[in-house]
């Protein structure tokens, strides 16, 4: 794998309320030797580069990786034609022996590790700036910038360890990846936790939408990721501590309308602890590769206001039955986008025909009325929500129940937003079902919930405990490093 070095030279701020992020693509770079590390005002440039990298293909939004993450749960089907990205059928049936040469698996690995390597490089640059700082304020700001980069690196490792288990730990780009030994999964989680402790100490106690450049990660972003990572390894003391700290800050609340939360109104809302931002900056378009197109209706909409999608990651019939049995209305309208239906905004989804899906993932639908003039791409200008407060509340409820406490209050906040009746003395099974409904078609939460609770083998056809939790290392990477198995 190539080691990349990106130094970002200029900054453009988006001024719209939904797209107030730093806009500079990481390809804009100059040789390191031309930089002047004595100019402290430029210290933010490596950080800008990492935010830009995180939202690209070589970052957190590689669309085949989203498919590999999401498709294994019982809440989604692969979608599209059976032969289109047919390897995802093997992923869904846990026939991993068919996947080691899948290009999407290799792209997922290299994309995440490119983000790690770029983060390592940015931390070196911040260290060089720090050598020339004299004021305590600048030194404190340098620590904050380090923490922002380390958070994103930790998020990359969070995805890598969830996908592959025992992996390579690279914290210094002078290390040769082709010669590194594998680091056990437990040690990777310890590394992530330690990194996030540094972030918690050095990031501001603000919401991301309160930051000088809206959307920067904060102490609470780090606490949320720490809770999620701790839940993977059933460290419920850590989950409870981190989620309690977020809740008692009184900084966050659920967006009042679940349906509109996933539209433009939910961008940079008080529910979001980490999101990747996209949109139009003057005449410059910042798009999410094909992350939204990947999930859009394959036949598109009647007329030309919204373009066609690829039809992947569609809600399953199992999920649909669960929604109907529970009497879900708000979350069903949001999650299920039916072919032939008319949305509340008046967009008409083209009718299904033979070979096409009858339903799509509505959480990524942006109405034509919210698209900028001249833009028709499915989901254009929406943000990708990475960490949200609803997850914090349900993890808090679960931690409390697991520790013999009452989890009703955080649990029912989520249900009330969805216009569902409250429940008393909530149980672990009820929390897991609530998570399935709340996070349907989002980041594979259902699969990871089933794995960590030991319910995957009894729920998912083809899953074998001890064999199906992690994908095989891509063959291309094993060819480079014989230590990978």
């Amino acid at each position: 794998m190539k080691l990349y070095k990106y130094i970002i030279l200029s900054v453009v701020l988006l001024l719209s309320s939904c797209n107030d992020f730093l806009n500079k693509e990481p390809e804009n770079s100059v040789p390191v030797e031309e930089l002047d590390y004595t100019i402290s005002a430029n210290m933010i440039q490596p950080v800008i580069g990492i935010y830009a990298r995180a939202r690209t293909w070589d970052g957190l939004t590689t669309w085949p990786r989203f498919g590999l993450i999401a498709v294994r749960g019982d809440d989604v089907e692969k979608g599209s034609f059976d032969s289109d990205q047919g390897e995802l059928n093997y992923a869904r049936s846990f026939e991993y022996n068919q996947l080691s040469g899948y290009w999407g698996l290799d792209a997922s690995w290299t994309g995440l590790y490119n983000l790690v390597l770029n983060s390592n490089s940015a931390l070196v640059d911040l260290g060089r700036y720090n050598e020339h700082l004299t004021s305590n304020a600048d030194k404190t700001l340098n620590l904050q910038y380090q923490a922002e980069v380390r958070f994103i690196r930790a998020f990359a490792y969070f995805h890598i360890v969830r996908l592959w288990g025992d992996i390579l730990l690279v914290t210094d780009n002078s290390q040769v990846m082709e010669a590194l030994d594998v680091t056990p999964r437990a040690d990777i989680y310890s590394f992530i936790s330690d990194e996030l402790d540094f972030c918690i100490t050095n990031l501001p106690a603000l919401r991301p939408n309160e930051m000088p450049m809206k959307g920067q990660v904060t102490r609470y972003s780090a606490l949320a990721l720490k809770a999620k990572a701790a839940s993977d390894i059933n460290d419920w003391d850590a989950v409870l501590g981190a989620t309690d700290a977020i809740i008692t800050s009184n900084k966050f609340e659920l967006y009042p309308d679940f349906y509109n939360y996933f539209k433009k109104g939910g961008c940079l809302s008080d529910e979001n602890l980490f999101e990747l931002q996209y949109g139009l900056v003057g005449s410059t378009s910042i798009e999410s590769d094909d992350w939204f197109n990947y999930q859009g209706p394959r036949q598109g909409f009647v007329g030309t206001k919204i373009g066609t999608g690829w039809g992947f990651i569609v809600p399953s019939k199992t999920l649909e039955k669960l929604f109907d049995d529970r009497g879900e209305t708000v979350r069903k309208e949001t999650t299920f986008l039916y072919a032939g239906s008319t949305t509340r905004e008046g967009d008409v989804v083209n009718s299904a025909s033979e070979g096409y899906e009858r339903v799509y993932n509505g959480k990524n639908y942006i109405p034509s009325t919210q698209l900028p003039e001249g833009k028709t791409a499915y989901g254009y200008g929406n943000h990708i929500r990475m960490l949200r407060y609803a997850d914090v509340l349900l993890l808090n409820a679960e931690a409390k129940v697991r520790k013999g406490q009452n989890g009703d209050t955080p649990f029912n906040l989520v249900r009330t937003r969805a216009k569902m009746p409250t429940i008393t003395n909530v149980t672990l099974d009820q929390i897991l079902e609530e998570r399935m409904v709340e996070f349907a078609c989002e980041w594979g939460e259902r699969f990871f919930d089933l794995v960590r609770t030991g319910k995957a083998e009894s729920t998912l056809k083809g899953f074998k405990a001890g064999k199906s939790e992690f994908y095989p290392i891509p063959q291309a990477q094993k060819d480079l490093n014989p230590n990978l198995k």
Side-chain angles (χ1 to χ4, degrees):
M1 179 185 295
K2 296 179 180 178
L3 304 186
Y4 295 99
K5 179 72 174 182
Y6 295 102
I7 305 298
I8 311 307
L9 291 181
S10 61
V11 178
V12 178
L13 292 181
L14 283 181
L15 299 179
S16 105
S17 62
C18 187
N19 292 300
D20 202 359
F21 69 97
L22 297 171
N23 163 26
K24 195 41 115 177
E25 290 300 320
E27 287 75 15
N28 295 329
S29 60
V30 296
V32 173
E33 57 269 17
E34 294 181 17
L35 290 176
D36 187 346
Y37 291 102
T38 66
I39 304 176
S40 61
N42 292 341
M43 187 167 59
I44 195 173
Q45 291 175 354
V47 189
I48 294 168
I50 296 307
Y51 280 110
R53 175 63 59 186
R55 67 173 185 264
T56 67
W57 174 274
D58 272 346
L60 296 174
T61 62
T62 313
W63 60 259
R65 182 168 70 251
F66 181 70
L68 287 164
I69 289 172
V71 77
R72 293 181 293 179
D74 58 348
D75 58 328
V76 300
E77 301 287 352
K78 176 184 80 72
S80 190
F81 292 117
D82 191 59
S83 60
D84 193 358
Q85 299 300 314
E87 290 86 351
L88 291 179
N89 292 316
Y90 295 124
R92 182 163 175 75
S93 60
F94 305 100
E95 297 176 81
Y96 293 162
N97 60 315
Q98 303 289 334
L99 290 175
S100 62
Y102 176 42
W103 73 270
L105 194 70
D106 190 58
S108 299
W109 176 282
T110 56
L112 288 167
Y113 272 109
N114 277 334
L115 182 56
V116 167
L117 296 173
N118 278 272
S119 299
N120 294 345
S121 179
L123 290 170
V124 170
D125 289 334
L126 288 170
R128 289 172 176 163
Y129 278 108
N130 191 53
E131 292 172 1
H132 300 280
L133 300 178
T134 57
S135 76
N136 288 334
D138 280 344
K139 291 178 180 179
T140 298
L141 188 59
N142 185 277
L143 286 171
Q144 177 192 315
Y145 290 161
Q146 288 184 49
E148 291 183 62
V149 173
R150 288 168 73 166
F151 170 87
I152 292 175
R153 183 175 68 177
F155 208 103
Y157 273 117
F158 175 65
H159 274 308
I160 299 170
V161 74
R162 274 187 152 192
L163 285 167
W164 287 286
D166 299 341
I167 56 171
L168 302 178
L169 179 60
V170 191
T171 57
D172 182 341
N173 287 359
S174 65
Q175 298 170 293
V176 179
M177 288 187 67
E178 288 78 10
L180 284 176
D181 288 326
V182 167
T183 297
R185 174 176 178 263
D187 292 342
I188 297 294
Y189 276 103
S190 293
F191 170 78
I192 291 171
S193 181
D194 290 345
E195 287 289 281
L196 294 172
D197 285 342
F198 177 89
C199 298
I200 291 163
T201 300
N202 291 290
L203 288 172
L206 298 170
R207 289 190 307 271
N209 65 9
E210 293 179 308
M211 292 290 283
M213 291 169 292
K214 290 185 178 181
Q216 287 175 277
V217 296
T218 72
R219 177 179 303 174
Y220 302 111
S221 311
L223 283 164
L225 183 55
K226 186 177 178 70
K228 287 192 69 64
S231 73
D232 280 357
I233 56 175
N234 290 298
D235 183 353
W236 296 103
D237 287 332
V239 174
L240 186 60
T243 54
D244 271 347
I246 297 169
I247 293 168
T248 58
S249 74
N250 295 317
K251 285 281 188 182
F252 297 88
E253 62 181 359
L254 298 175
Y255 193 79
D257 185 324
F258 185 81
Y259 178 87
N260 281 307
Y261 169 69
F262 291 94
K263 312 298 182 281
K264 290 291 187 71
C267 298
L268 291 171
S269 72
D270 291 355
E271 181 167 347
N272 298 345
L273 291 107
F274 180 41
E275 62 196 284
L276 300 175
Q277 303 176 53
Y278 306 89
L280 193 63
V281 190
S283 60
T284 302
S285 182
I286 307 299
E287 301 186 43
S288 60
D289 187 57
D290 286 302
W291 196 87
F292 289 104
N293 286 338
Y294 181 62
Q295 301 168 75
R298 184 142 189 166
Q299 290 182 293
F301 293 75
V302 173
T304 59
K305 292 181 179 179
I306 306 178
T308 60
W310 301 357
F312 286 92
I313 313 305
V314 302
S316 69
K317 291 181 179 179
T318 297
L319 184 70
E320 185 176 31
K321 182 178 185 303
L322 177 62
F323 271 65
D324 290 341
D325 289 347
R326 287 167 54 97
E328 295 279 347
T329 57
V330 172
R331 288 186 287 203
K332 185 172 184 181
E333 180 190 11
T334 307
T335 307
F336 292 78
L337 186 65
Y338 287 98
S341 68
T342 301
T343 69
R344 65 166 69 173
E345 296 85 3
D347 295 319
V348 180
V349 188
N350 266 322
S351 297
S353 63
E354 187 175 354
Y356 290 93
E357 295 77 27
R358 62 185 182 86
V359 65
Y360 301 91
N361 179 7
K363 286 183 172 177
N364 296 293
Y365 156 70
I366 288 292
S368 60
T369 54
Q370 295 184 15
L371 294 174
E373 185 176 356
K375 297 295 181 182
T376 61
Y378 186 76
Y380 182 88
N382 202 358
H383 295 181
I384 299 177
R385 291 142 181 83
M386 307 297 288
L387 294 171
R388 58 190 186 94
Y389 189 51
D391 202 358
V392 171
L393 291 170
L394 291 179
L395 283 174
N396 184 262
E398 183 173 350
K400 286 178 175 175
V401 169
R402 286 178 176 275
K403 292 178 66 62
Q405 302 173 26
N406 186 287
D408 291 359
T409 297
F411 176 81
N412 283 315
L413 284 172
V414 175
R415 286 180 63 84
T416 299
R417 196 255 300 263
K419 295 183 169 34
M420 294 293 287
T422 59
I423 293 176
T424 57
N425 298 316
V426 61
T427 66
L428 177 59
D429 284 342
Q430 288 172 323
I431 293 170
L432 293 175
E433 185 175 290
E434 198 70 26
R435 288 182 60 83
M436 182 177 181
V437 173
E438 177 73 17
F439 305 117
C441 307
E442 294 183 51
W443 292 113
E445 294 298 334
R446 175 61 173 168
F447 173 77
F448 297 117
D449 285 349
L450 290 171
V451 169
R452 66 179 172 77
T453 56
K455 296 176 180 291
E457 190 164 42
S458 61
T459 305
L460 304 174
K461 184 178 180 180
F463 183 96
K464 300 296 183 185
K467 295 183 178 180
S468 303
E469 290 86 350
F470 306 111
Y471 281 115
I473 302 294
Q475 186 60 49
Q477 303 305 318
K478 292 195 287 188
D479 291 343
L480 290 171
N481 185 343
N483 296 321
L484 292 170
K485 299 177 182 178

